[in-house]
């Protein structure tokens, strides 16, 4: 093959360029869709972190409430006995 011979005709080159153009357009559409999916995924992650924080806060409140009730239950009898003793001592005088 001599250097003057063309490897492709102008028509073949034009068809190849059109094919590449379609491929690039398809690739752009896929990239746009991928960006949208990533954007939605990031939004879900943020929402997940918010829900996680809310759940941890609810757990902390529940644990605090339970510890208060447990303290009342454990020390309530002693408190009642002390109040009763004070009342009896006051009534004796």
């Amino acid at each position: 093959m001599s250097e003057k011979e063309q490897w492709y005709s102008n028509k073949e080159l034009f068809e190849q360029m059109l094919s590449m153009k379609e491929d690039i357009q398809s690739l752009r559409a896929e990239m746009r869709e991928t960006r949208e999916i990533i954007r939605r995924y990031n939004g879900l992650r943020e929402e997940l972190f918010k829900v996680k924080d809310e759940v941890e806060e609810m757990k902390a409140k529940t644990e605090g409430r339970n510890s208060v009730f447990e303290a009342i239950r454990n020390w309530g009898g002693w408190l009642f006995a002390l109040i009763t003793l004070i009342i009896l001592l006051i009534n004796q005088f």
Side-chain angles (χ1 to χ4, degrees):
M1 186 183 283
S2 70
E3 289 183 27
K4 292 185 179 185
E5 291 181 26
Q6 292 183 345
W7 287 1
Y8 297 102
S9 69
N10 287 340
K11 180 181 177 184
E12 290 172 331
L13 289 172
F14 181 74
E15 289 172 353
Q16 287 178 359
M17 287 180 65
L18 286 179
S19 174
M20 284 179 54
K21 182 179 177 182
E22 291 172 3
D23 290 344
I24 290 173
Q25 287 175 345
S26 173
L27 182 62
R28 282 183 182 162
E30 288 178 17
M31 288 176 66
R32 209 175 300 122
E33 185 177 329
T34 302
R35 279 194 301 261
E36 180 61 31
I37 290 170
I38 290 171
R39 191 176 299 119
R40 281 187 276 151
Y41 172 76
N42 287 336
L44 287 176
R45 280 187 54 200
E46 290 172 7
E47 189 174 329
L48 176 66
F49 288 135
K50 287 178 185 176
V51 170
K52 183 180 175 186
D53 290 341
E54 289 175 5
V55 168
E56 288 176 359
E57 183 179 331
M58 290 180 352
K59 282 182 180 179
K61 284 181 182 178
T62 303
E63 288 177 13
R65 208 175 288 136
N66 289 341
S67 66
V68 168
F69 288 139
E70 186 176 334
I72 290 171
R73 190 182 77 224
N74 290 339
W75 292 97
W78 287 101
L79 184 62
F80 180 74
L82 181 65
I83 292 172
T84 305
L85 178 65
I86 292 172
I87 290 173
L88 288 174
L89 288 174
I90 291 174
N91 285 340
Q92 270 188 344
F93 292 115

